[in-house]
Amino acid sequence: MADELSRRGVLKVVAAAAAVAGCKTTSSGTTAGASETSAAPPAAASPPVPAAPASSATRTLGRTGAHVEAVSLGGEGILRTWNREREAVPMILEALRLGVRYCDTAPAYAGSLDYYGEAFRQAPPGARDQVFLASKTHERSRDGSLRLLDESLKRLGTSRLDLLQLHDLRTREDLDEIFGKGGAIQAVEAARKDGRIRFVGITGHHDPAILVEAMQRYDFDTVLCAVNPADPARLPFLSTVVPEARKRGMGVIGMKVMAAGRILADGAATPEELIGYGAHFADTVIVGMRSPAEVRQNLAIGRALAPPSKEVLAALERRLAPRADEYSYFKA
């Protein structure tokens, strides 16, 4: 099999994936999100992923200046489990081998931090420094967030995070606590000052108005929000959060691009369509994966994307609109 995956080869993989539906969900911590996965073809059918051409496959993550690809490694999928190192670590190692640029994790994601830590230990020297490593704090207080940060660094086996995000913002009470006396914003400022973190972001998939208000209260570097073709039908992030972030020069990271596999399970869209849609609006989309085969598949799709037309985007939105509530189950 050729070392480079052709466009036609990618489409064949996507067609096979669309016919196979499935996802796994797990729960941990305070976050109610489910894993984002694509259906993996049989291992024997997985083609090699092409190297990413720097001119076409990388984007800049807002003011961070980090170079990212259309598809990044999410912290869910197999990573949001406990005691499955034999499956999780090889999946991360494959992503590192293939040059993934952005890695996502969180203390709320079960053993995700530990899996990353073990993968970095097994990977060639310098592997950790080759990725933009993002984690989160679901604590709203200064002391709780600093404790989580230090625990996270220890589990990851690193001295710093590239990005620490205030996780799963849902209510104004969350914001009032974060920005109040002894709030988490003091933790991120202290950690940035002493070098434990480089950049600060926010995440949310519940209510776009909360993320917009958070951006108006503080000069964050990135936002992680829900992005899929069902979004415009109710409580949209694409017409509220994303434009506000762009106006402020923030990096935009997309999640829920496959609605935890629900869209694939219904056969409503292919992985290529969903990744292409999300990557059109976001600098990168994080996808929770379950195997090395899924890593190869999703990175190949991301590296072969062509910019979708307005007509293609609108057609996808119309196609998913009848079941928009189901595909936006994570919203308020």
Side-chain angles (χ1 to χ4, degrees), residues 51-316:
S55 60
S56 62
T58 62
R59 301 102 171 275
T60 302
L61 185 62
R63 69 167 70 99
T64 72
H67 295 291
V68 296
E69 294 192 40
V71 174
S72 293
L73 183 57
E76 299 202 28
I78 190 62
L79 300 187
R80 195 168 182 174
T81 63
W82 292 107
N83 303 317
R84 296 180 70 177
E85 291 85 355
R86 291 185 179 180
E87 299 162 87
V89 173
M91 189 272 292
I92 297 173
L93 289 172
E94 181 71 348
L96 297 176
R97 184 185 72 81
L98 293 173
V100 71
R101 293 173 179 264
Y102 181 108
C103 293
D104 170 80
T105 186
Y109 296 167
S112 181
L113 292 163
D114 305 307
Y115 299 151
Y116 272 113
E118 181 58 29
F120 289 138
R121 283 188 288 274
Q122 293 186 22
R128 185 291 173 235
D129 293 330
Q130 298 304 309
V131 298
F132 190 89
L133 184 58
S135 190
K136 311 177 181 77
T137 173
H138 54 261
E139 291 282 351
R140 304 310 187 207
S141 69
R142 175 190 182 278
D143 292 347
S145 292
L146 287 176
R147 174 184 55 79
L148 267 186
L149 172 59
D150 288 338
E151 290 177 357
S152 297
L153 293 174
K154 182 177 180 180
R155 291 170 67 185
L156 288 164
T158 185
S159 62
R160 77 189 190 288
L161 291 175
D162 295 295
L163 176 65
L164 179 63
Q165 301 153 299
L166 302 177
H167 195 185
D168 194 21
L169 304 184
R170 292 181 174 233
T171 67
R172 284 183 174 82
E173 287 74 22
D174 286 339
L175 301 185
D176 290 342
E177 188 172 358
I178 286 166
F179 293 108
K181 183 178 179 180
I185 202 67
Q186 296 178 7
V188 297
E189 289 182 336
R192 178 144 61 175
K193 186 175 181 180
D194 66 26
R196 280 178 286 179
I197 67 173
R198 296 174 60 208
F199 301 103
V200 182
I202 52 175
T203 87
H205 52 61
H206 190 66
D207 183 351
I210 298 302
L211 294 186
V212 171
E213 183 172 336
M215 288 187 273
Q216 293 169 345
R217 293 198 193 191
Y218 191 82
D219 193 21
F220 291 101
D221 298 303
T222 66
V223 60
L224 167 61
C225 64
V227 180
N228 72 44
D231 180 78
R234 185 174 66 86
L235 291 173
F237 288 85
L238 293 177
S239 59
T240 55
V241 173
V242 172
E244 184 72 17
R246 295 303 188 197
K247 182 176 71 175
R248 296 170 181 275
M250 297 169 61
V252 177
I253 307 146
M255 63 174 162
K256 306 299 182 191
V257 294
M258 300 178 192
R262 296 186 185 197
I263 301 172
L264 297 179
D266 290 342
T270 67
E272 185 182 50
E273 288 176 316
L274 297 173
I275 289 172
Y277 184 94
H280 175 77
F281 294 99
D283 299 319
T284 190
V285 296
I286 55 172
V287 181
M289 307 184 211
R290 296 173 296 181
S291 68
E294 280 195 2
V295 170
R296 292 190 291 269
Q297 173 189 303
N298 288 325
L299 289 181
I301 290 172
R303 291 172 181 176
L305 287 178
S309 67
K310 291 182 179 179
E311 292 74 19
V312 166
L313 297 173
L316 265 174

